[in-house]
Amino acid sequence: MVAPAGTSTAWPPSPPAVASGTTTPLVDGFGRVHRDLRISVTDRCNFRCTYCMPEDGLSWQPPESQLTAEELGRVARRFVESFGFTSIRLTGGEPTVRADLVDVVTRLASLPVDLALTTNGSRLTRLAPALADAGLRRVNVSLDSLRPDRFQTATRRDALPAVLDGIRAAVAAGLAPVKVNVVVTRGFNDDEVVDFARFGREEGVTVRFIEFMPLDADRRWARRSVVPAHEIVERIDTVFPLVTSARSSSPARVLRFADGIGEVGVIGSVTEPFCSSCDRVRLTSDGQLRSCLFATAETDLRAILRDPRTDLEAALDTAIRKTIAGKWAGHGISEVSFTRPTRSMSQIGG
Ligand code: SAM
Ligand code: SF4
């Protein structure tokens, strides 16, 4: 059994305060205030994770459809200045394959937000110092197996040493706390959750276990392949006793190791959905605003950005407000009426 909540340290540190007086909270029809922007900076990727992309056959969007660094900066500024957003996470596809990623980070780092990046880690050895210098605060690195053969099966790439080196490079560059994201799938890597817990303790990183969601391009997702968050916690707790942390907040449930050596997180998007407290909005690399990861409709902010006739700031603010006002209550994965979005995870931005 996991022990009840105890005291905990405040981490990550609060982002700098946003100038007050000019911002209006971005509230939807269910009273949820949105403060977290996920920006996909590219739909391209150098991996082909089985739960995300097909082995081949997924064509890239044309370069001219991708928002430029300047356009990304403009849109992000609206979210911060008009709506008081406090965190921005860059994702993809694989953000580190974007040639001007450091420029993107430099522009966004001028905003008073907690700026983070989700990456497969394969290019971090080279990039981590430059990203930290540009103002990036934290990284999450995705890693689904510590075994070379399984890693290759999961990603269709032979890159485990590069990812492990990338995690260490991120720690060395001070992109802390470094978090390692593990998508757990039944019969593939569910026997590695304790190994990952041990890895986190030894490497000084926080491992977060994520339930497999129906966003794989191959459309092989099935409920039986989801390993529920509670089962992941129980497996780890048997070997490394866990204590529920008072810091738990959606989406991750945070559990501290009872001996004080670090913590783990579990994200039960399927079995423990956190939709009722969701504060996220997403921008795809081609400039489409989505109110939910599973949204089936998008708002074209790129068209607004590139229309020379518009009053840009007012038009963007109106489009953003309208999109979020129409946000639904939740993804409804467990309902019979659930419809998958047309785009898969790498095309949306996880
Ligand atoms: N390429 C980067 C990476 O892998 O971290 C960023 C983009 S990736 C789409 C963002 C996150 O989504 C990763 O942590 C990845 O493991 C996760 N992800 C991808 N497909 C998923 C799925 N079907 N269910 C749950 N998580 C998924
Ligand atoms: Fe690429 Fe990330 Fe998707 Fe893997 S999860 S295929 S690294 S975008």
Side-chain angles (χ1 to χ4, degrees), residues 269-298:
S269 315
V270 177
T271 66
E272 300 172 6
F274 42 87
C275 303
S276 62
S277 58
C278 178
D279 68 347
R280 293 182 180 174
V281 302
R282 291 170 193 274
L283 183 68
T284 64
S285 59
D286 57 345
Q288 308 301 304
L289 180 64
R290 303 173 62 87
S291 59
C292 172
L293 185 54
F294 293 90
T296 48
E298 300 177 337

Side-chain angles (χ1 to χ4, degrees), residues 44-47 49 51-53 90-95 118-121 140-144 181-183 210-216 221 269 345-347 349-350:
R44 295 175 188 232
C45 188
N46 56 342
F47 284 13
C49 302
Y51 53 70
C52 179
M53 294 182 82
L90 302 179
T91 180
E94 173 47 39
T118 300
T119 170
N120 64 29
N140 288 7
V141 181
S142 304
L143 173 60
D144 304 307
N181 288 351
V182 184
V183 176
I210 303 173
E211 288 180 352
F212 179 27
M213 294 182 280
L215 287 166
D216 54 318
W221 182 90
S269 315
M345 188 65 121
S346 66
Q347 299 167 315

Side-chain angles (χ1 to χ4, degrees), residues 49-253:
C49 302
T50 51
Y51 53 70
C52 179
M53 294 182 82
E55 187 155 14
D56 46 36
L58 195 70
S59 51
W60 307 132
Q61 292 161 356
E64 63 275 15
S65 74
Q66 307 293 285
L67 295 193
T68 64
E70 196 212 346
E71 288 170 333
L72 288 171
R74 282 186 170 201
V75 179
R77 186 168 290 278
R78 298 318 320 138
F79 281 96
V80 176
E81 292 186 349
S82 296
F83 304 114
F85 272 47
T86 53
S87 60
I88 296 179
R89 175 171 294 277
L90 302 179
T91 180
E94 173 47 39
T96 61
V97 304
R98 182 167 169 143
D100 63 351
L101 179 64
V102 173
D103 181 24
V104 173
V105 168
T106 303
R107 288 169 189 268
L108 300 185
S110 68
L111 298 170
V113 291
D114 179 25
L115 184 62
L117 173 83
T118 300
T119 170
N120 64 29
S122 61
R123 297 183 173 205
L124 275 182
T125 306
R126 189 164 51 85
L127 275 174
L131 291 171
D133 286 349
L136 186 71
R137 292 189 177 197
R138 310 184 282 121
V139 292
N140 288 7
V141 181
S142 304
L143 173 60
D144 304 307
S145 179
L146 295 166
R147 305 181 191 185
D149 55 331
R150 279 194 190 170
F151 179 93
Q152 179 141 12
T153 301
T155 62
R156 300 178 174 117
R157 296 292 183 269
D158 180 12
L160 179 58
V163 174
L164 293 174
D165 287 347
I167 290 170
R168 289 164 192 147
V171 173
L175 293 168
V178 174
K179 294 181 184 170
V180 171
N181 288 351
V182 184
V183 176
V184 187
T185 43
R186 179 78 68 201
F188 178 67
N189 62 353
D190 51 333
D191 59 348
E192 284 191 69
V193 294
V194 171
D195 293 345
F196 266 110
R198 187 177 294 108
F199 172 80
R201 290 162 60 87
E202 290 173 358
E203 297 284 337
V205 299
T206 300
V207 178
R208 306 187 329 152
F209 300 93
I210 303 173
E211 288 180 352
F212 179 27
M213 294 182 280
L215 287 166
D216 54 318
D218 286 334
R219 296 184 169 251
R220 297 219 176 108
W221 182 90
R223 185 161 275 277
R224 65 178 175 281
S225 49
V226 177
V227 181
H230 74 82
E231 182 183 324
I232 294 167
V233 172
E234 282 158 19
R235 285 192 189 206
I236 297 169
D237 187 53
T238 318
V239 180
F240 298 112
L242 293 168
V243 181
T244 302
S245 168
R247 278 204 314 101
S248 284
S249 65
S250 72
R253 184 147 63 91

